Amino acid sequence: MVGFSKSYKSVSAVDDLSFAVGSGECIGLLGPNGAGKTSLMSCLVGLRLPTSGTVRVLGCDPAGAGQTGHRIAYVFDPPGLSADFTAVDCLRWEALAQGLPPETATSAVEEYGIAGFAKRRVSRMSTGQRQRVAIAASLVGDPDVLILDEPSNGLDVEAARWLRELVRARTRAGRTTIVSSHQLNEVRRVTDRVVVINRTLRFDGQLPDLADDELDDWYLDTIDRKEVLA
């Protein structure tokens, strides 16, 4: 994206933001609440239009009907799952929406470790189970680009490890993943680099190798700076 800006009436959410993400790269999208992360991600998947600037995903305008299709997948926080659906229903619906055979959903149940609650309704799932089902559904069509908003929310230690391994496997396979999170320690375990925004770009590069408390201090200093760090 180049010169990306997004405003709501007189309020500027994102101003003159530019960065690029390559194939086979996983980046962490960091910033405080109100920094513009949700506005940015919504434009990346075509749910909103930029006020100005250029946004391209897989070489196309993500808002262009049919240009990227199901090559882009996303899971926002909280995940948008139908409360009356079971886990299997969610996967079958996604497979149907993408024109994939029903067996795709059955395979995903095993592949993404949700067999133990596959027939449980979303309304009766824990937060972590809903998150896991939403991520599994987003991956049914093996998208080229995956955008995850706070994906570790509600995940226990085992599920968090599953998520890290999944993201790493996507990276090895040449897929692109963007992870928005407030958990710095979790982000640096899976990402190649981070992009820190606070209405505009504050940092683009690798997280420094610091202890947790020092990393928190670095992050807080970074989001308050006026100049861009690299």
Side-chain angles (χ1 to χ4, degrees):
M1 69 179 60
V2 178
F4 168 75
S5 297
K6 180 62 181 177
S7 299
Y8 302 93
K9 295 184 178 179
S10 60
V11 178
S12 175
V14 185
D15 181 42
D16 195 24
L17 179 63
S18 299
F19 70 92
V21 185
S23 299
E25 189 174 14
C26 176
I27 73 159
L29 180 62
L30 306 177
N33 291 333
K37 300 189 301 298
T38 300
S39 293
L40 169 59
M41 291 185 291
S42 296
C43 289
L44 287 175
V45 300
L47 295 178
R48 293 174 178 166
L49 297 174
T51 302
S52 61
T54 302
V55 177
R56 292 290 181 269
V57 180
L58 301 171
C60 300
D61 179 352
Q67 289 187 327
T68 53
H70 295 289
R71 296 172 65 195
I72 305 173
Y74 58 92
V75 180
F76 284 171
D77 182 38
L81 301 174
S82 175
D84 292 330
F85 275 17
T86 65
V88 172
D89 290 336
C90 294
L91 298 179
R92 286 174 177 166
W93 185 92
E94 187 60 39
L96 179 64
Q98 297 189 39
L100 300 171
E103 309 87 77
T104 307
T106 305
S107 300
V109 167
E110 297 298 330
E111 183 176 358
Y112 300 117
I114 59 178
F117 53 94
K119 296 184 179 180
R120 186 174 303 169
R121 294 188 186 278
V122 170
S123 60
R124 298 181 58 196
M125 292 180 190
S126 68
T127 300
Q129 287 171 339
R130 287 194 294 271
Q131 190 78 320
R132 195 156 176 157
V133 170
I135 293 171
S138 74
L139 293 170
V140 162
D142 191 22
D144 296 303
V145 177
L146 176 64
I147 299 175
L148 300 174
D149 182 21
E150 297 291 347
S152 298
N153 278 357
L155 298 186
D156 58 22
V157 174
E158 179 184 3
R161 174 181 288 180
W162 164 81
L163 178 61
R164 288 194 298 271
E165 292 174 349
L166 184 151
V167 171
R168 290 168 183 155
R170 280 182 50 82
T171 302
R172 290 193 298 270
R175 302 292 190 263
T176 300
T177 308
I178 298 174
V179 180
S180 172
S181 179
H182 289 98
Q183 301 179 33
L184 301 182
N185 215 15
E186 195 67 27
V187 164
R188 68 175 168 184
R189 298 174 75 174
V190 296
T191 60
D192 304 306
R193 77 181 224 256
V194 297
V195 171
V196 181
I197 68 172
N198 192 5
R199 202 170 69 88
T200 192
L201 184 66
R202 301 299 184 193
F203 175 79
D204 185 351
Q206 291 186 328
L207 280 173
D209 186 15
L210 299 171
D212 290 352
D213 288 346
E214 293 175 319
L215 185 61
D216 289 343
D217 291 340
W218 173 88
Y219 169 74
L220 292 172
D221 181 58
T222 299
I223 61 176
D224 286 336
R225 286 177 178 265
K226 299 304 180 185
E227 71 273 20
V228 177
L229 296 178

